[in-house]
């Protein structure tokens, strides 16, 4: 069961002017399941993306990077679930060209104006024959308010659709931001996560949009981990259609407000991935404070967030907190003075001076461990940097889900 | 159930001249369980050790490092299970001094001639009151052929004792090597593992012994991983008593033979930890060939060996081998050309040219996956280095064991 997961009322999901979405079923994994999603952007829309750093990056990721690099006017996205088109070599690349060309033809745009995305099993050929007939169907269903259905149609092992939406007033006009994401396992994004799509009807210049997309990814999707496995297909896209007529100048107050709202939506979408992570029963925030550098803070945060021993202790609600100390100790910060740091679980000071806080009582740790949302804080007293990573516990269901994934 | 685990016949466990072992029960975790082990070395024995790099290293590890650094004549080891004496601050340090002083007194040697070792739960005070009365009991039981019982008495979540023994002829004389190890979880040794003790009655000079102990650790205990969690207490010790009368010169053929035999025993003890790893149902060898550097080979080997997705697929005997490609891709070798490598499962060529080998059939992968011992080979075509890492799968029992560890 997802942890404190909020599925918004469909009335609170605001369509974005200049964005249409169409959905169809190609029967890639299961007959009848919606598995093809098409985004159609109005001409003039700016699109920016960040992608996985995995060297075995999927064919569609390679094509996205190329097409965004030459600053084509991207006007459509083609997303399939059920097959990742990764580890598929040259044939996979050709297959992604073929399917995105089919969408371009259906929309009467140039091939290079389509970005393709795939998610699902790796190392299996893309079922092009199934996908091609579904594309005109998806196009025939293009409509303004299909965000909720799109969040559904991009799910794989996700148990709930992930969607967030917000409206704000800028210069007396309404600007909308809406986004969807998916992912529950193979989650340790290292640019962005598989898959996040956001759109706003504010106008944002191409270069600025690319810059803030990267920055926003680093505050949201690049700060979550389920299992430390960086996917071959991670992709995060922001599209700015400009159809609200609002075009705030960079460095204006309105731009800052827009930036903060975009960041909020991205964080919400990223955190929703953790709340619905495979087998998760707890939502865990790991916050490292007073670090010398962002790098050392993240080393320690991820050592804690990836430790199977820490994660199974959370699953058991067992305050076996020495495991967190062990993870801090092996994180690779070679000059760390362990007598100078403090470990807090929620508000409870667990360890200081290199050992257990004499005032700490097991019942205090147990009370925090019993919660579904847990904050782990490590105060290093080495500098002024804070970094926060979001993760979940490690349960029997994680093993079951991933042992049975293909069956 | 341990995977293809060989428990030798007690007749094949050879005592080492110059080494006596005594065991007692302090009732640290469970009344009646043997949890105190004393090693007594004959004067003149050379002792070398390597220890965890965890910054939260346990108090006994700190003391071992100090005492070995000043080249005292180490004549005794004191090992307790049930409590790690790690994350225990200044009090933990004092407690390790107190207990090792008690052993020194019982043996009429200097405090600094004792090396202390602890294993068990972290962040809880060492129960000194329970340990002190057990020390004279262990000393009163000192005997030549207690290796098998010692292997039992150092177990924590281990299900079987880990022991290896060998005799070889050097210069017409018999030399014995015997060792024990323990560990089943929190295993990703980064100097050595918690705990490995070996002894030989060959004579090896102090400096040479320290050098080869480090080298041997790098070929054995430093090449195994269960969960990627580097323990606070990892320690690996080789003692050379010289009592066989055999003292081969460095660089002689006899020395090479002795070195190879010591390495074999260390590898066997290290692999036994994986065979009995928490919840393990498979023994997996990850071999990276034709790498440019040892560092890049190990990055890829550990990315595969630590991936929860790869490990759950092994548990399910599911040839979902795209997960291995994903791990290779995110291992951090940033200039890796994925079209140039080959992935083999056993003898089966699974992937090449950046995708699935066209001749590969699922039944072939399934046949290898059904085995209890599996070889994963990645041939990089970048250089001449080979590195091998040993690991296990990730099962429901791992979660159960670590969720319930303290209850």
């Amino acid at each position: 069961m997802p942890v404190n997961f909020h599925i918004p009322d469909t009335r609170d999901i605001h369509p974005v002017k200049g964005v249409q979405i169409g959905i169809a079923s190609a029967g890639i994994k299961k007959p009848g399941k919606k598995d093809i999603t098409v985004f159609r952007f109005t001409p003039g829309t700016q699109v920016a993306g960040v992608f996985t750093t995995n060297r075995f990056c999927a064919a569609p990721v390679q094509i996205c990077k190329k097409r965004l690099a030459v600053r084509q006017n991207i006007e459509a996205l083609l997303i399939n679930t059920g097959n990742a088109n990764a580890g598929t070599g040259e044939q996979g690349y050709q297959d992604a060209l073929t399917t995105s060309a089919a969408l371009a033809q259906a929309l009467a745009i140039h091939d290079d104006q389509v970005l393709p995305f795939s998610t699902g099993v790796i190392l299996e050929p893309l079922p092009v024959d199934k996908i091609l007939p579904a594309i005109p169907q998806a196009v025939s269903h293009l409509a303004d308010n299909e965000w909720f259905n799109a969040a559904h149609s991009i799910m794989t092992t996700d148990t709930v659709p992930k969607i967030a939406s917000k409206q704000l007033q800028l210069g007396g006009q309404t600007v909308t931001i809406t986004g969807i994401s998916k992912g529950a396992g193979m989650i340790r994004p290292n640019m962005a996560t598989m898959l996040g799509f956001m759109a706003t009807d504010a106008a944002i210049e191409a270069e600025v949009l690319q810059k803030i997309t990267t920055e926003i990814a680093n505050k949201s999707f690049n700060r979550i981990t389920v299992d430390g496995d960086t996917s071959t297909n991670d992709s995060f896209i922001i599209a700015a259609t400009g159809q609200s007529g609002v075009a705030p100048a960079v460095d204006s107050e309105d731009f800052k407000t827009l930036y903060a709202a975009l960041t909020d939506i991205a964080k919400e979408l990223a955190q929703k991935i953790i709340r619905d992570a495979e087998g998760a029963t707890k939502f865990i925030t790991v916050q490292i404070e007073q670090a010398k550098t962002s790098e050392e803070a993240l080393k320690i945060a991820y050592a804690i967030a990836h430790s199977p021993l820490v994660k199974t202790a959370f699953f058991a609600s067992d305050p076996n907190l020495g495991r967190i100390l062990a993870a801090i100790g092996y994180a690779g910060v070679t000059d760390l003075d362990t007598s100078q740091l403090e470990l807090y679980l929620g508000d409870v000071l667990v360890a200081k001076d290199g050992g257990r806080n004499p005032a700490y009582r097991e019942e205090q740790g147990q009370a925090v461990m019993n919660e579904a949302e847990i904050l782990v804080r490590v105060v290093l007293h080495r500098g002024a940097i804070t970094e926060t990573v979001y993760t979940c516990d490690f349960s029997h269901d994680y093993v079951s889900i991933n042992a049975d994934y293909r069956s």
Side-chain angles (χ1 to χ4, degrees), chain A:
Chain A
M1 280 292 296
V3 183
N4 294 341
F5 195 97
H6 174 64
I7 300 182
D9 190 292
T10 50
R11 284 167 301 182
D12 295 327
I13 304 300
H14 312 289
V16 179
K17 280 179 216 154
V19 179
Q20 289 194 308
I21 299 173
I23 293 159
S25 175
I28 295 173
K29 275 190 80 179
K30 289 178 192 158
K33 187 200 174 304
K34 298 286 190 287
D35 49 17
I36 298 290
T37 307
V38 167
F39 276 71
R40 173 72 161 118
F41 302 129
T42 194
T45 297
Q46 296 298 336
V47 177
V50 288
F51 300 91
T52 182
T53 55
N54 194 309
R55 296 294 299 168
F56 261 107
C57 78
V61 169
Q62 296 170 43
I63 292 171
C64 281
K65 285 180 173 174
K66 272 193 193 166
R67 290 182 177 171
L68 284 170
V70 297
R71 301 206 174 284
Q72 276 291 344
N73 295 318
I74 300 298
E75 292 193 11
L77 312 181
L78 172 63
I79 308 153
N80 75 270
T81 55
N83 183 300
N85 196 8
T88 46
E90 180 56 26
Q91 186 59 49
Y93 194 85
Q94 292 303 325
D95 291 345
L97 289 178
T98 302
T99 51
S100 56
L103 177 57
Q105 197 183 1
L107 296 174
I109 58 177
H110 194 277
D111 289 10
D112 289 349
Q113 293 180 278
V114 177
L115 298 183
F117 303 85
S118 296
T119 175
V121 68
I122 300 167
L123 201 63
E124 300 203 355
L126 190 72
V128 175
D129 292 351
K130 291 181 177 175
I131 291 172
L132 290 180
I135 288 173
Q137 287 176 38
V139 168
S140 71
H141 294 133
L142 281 170
D144 290 343
N145 203 354
E146 284 285 278
W147 284 93
F148 205 86
N149 294 329
H152 254 287
S153 71
I154 64 172
M155 287 164 57
T156 51
T157 57
D158 309 65
T159 69
V160 280
K162 291 158 187 91
I163 186 161
S165 186
K166 191 167 193 165
Q167 287 191 321
L168 54 162
Q169 299 300 316
L170 292 180
Q173 285 178 283
T174 301
V175 166
T176 299
I177 304 169
T178 300
I180 58 175
S181 63
K182 67 121 329 212
M186 199 175 273
I187 297 292
R188 193 253 164 110
N190 192 356
M191 271 318 285
T193 193
M194 176 63 182
L195 301 163
F197 302 103
M198 284 170 52
T200 177
D201 50 13
I204 305 175
E205 244 179 84
E207 278 181 35
V208 175
L209 185 63
Q210 182 58 52
K211 181 169 169 285
I212 70 172
T213 300
T214 302
E215 289 171 7
I216 288 171
N218 280 335
K219 292 176 188 168
S220 55
F221 293 103
N222 283 357
R223 292 295 178 272
I224 62 173
T225 184
V226 172
D227 42 23
D229 279 283
T230 302
S231 155
T232 47
N233 291 54
D234 294 339
S235 305
F236 170 51
I237 293 289
I238 302 182
T241 67
Q243 295 300 298
S244 65
V246 177
V250 178
D251 299 332
S252 67
E253 277 308 307
D254 275 3
F255 188 84
K256 282 179 198 160
T257 306
L258 177 65
Y259 187 138
L262 287 164
T263 305
D264 283 350
I265 293 290
K267 275 192 181 175
E268 186 175 337
L269 291 171
Q271 291 181 12
K272 281 187 161 171
I273 287 176
I274 298 301
R275 293 186 187 283
D276 187 35
E278 288 166 354
T281 72
K282 312 248 169 171
F283 181 87
I284 300 158
T285 302
V286 182
Q287 188 165 306
I288 313 299
E289 300 174 14
Q290 299 186 27
K292 223 187 273 181
T293 63
S294 177
E295 190 197 354
E296 73 175 28
L298 290 173
K299 272 186 184 171
I300 293 173
Y302 280 115
I304 296 170
H306 288 149
S307 161
L309 290 171
V310 170
K311 290 162 95 86
T312 47
F314 278 113
F315 170 56
S317 300
D318 177 11
N320 186 347
L321 303 170
R323 291 176 178 177
I324 299 180
L325 290 194
I328 296 168
Y330 69 66
V333 181
T334 50
D335 64 347
L336 187 69
D337 181 349
T338 55
S339 71
Q340 295 300 310
L341 62 84
E342 287 129 28
L343 169 66
Y344 289 84
L345 192 70
D347 293 330
V348 179
L349 175 57
V350 173
K352 62 172 190 171
D353 302 330
R356 197 159 70 177
N357 170 21
Y360 172 77
R361 293 293 166 267
E362 176 96 358
E363 310 83 76
Q364 297 176 296
Q366 188 62 62
V368 181
M369 277 306 218
N370 292 343
E371 302 287 328
E373 307 242 344
I374 297 173
L375 172 65
V376 175
R377 278 176 63 216
V378 182
V379 185
L380 297 179
H381 298 287
R382 289 163 60 90
I385 303 292
T386 296
E387 283 284 0
T388 306
V389 163
Y390 305 94
T391 192
C392 58
D393 57 334
F394 218 153
S395 70
H396 284 295
D397 284 354
Y398 180 89
V399 177
S400 298
I401 291 163
N402 285 298
D404 303 340
Y405 180 57
R406 302 198 314 166
S407 56

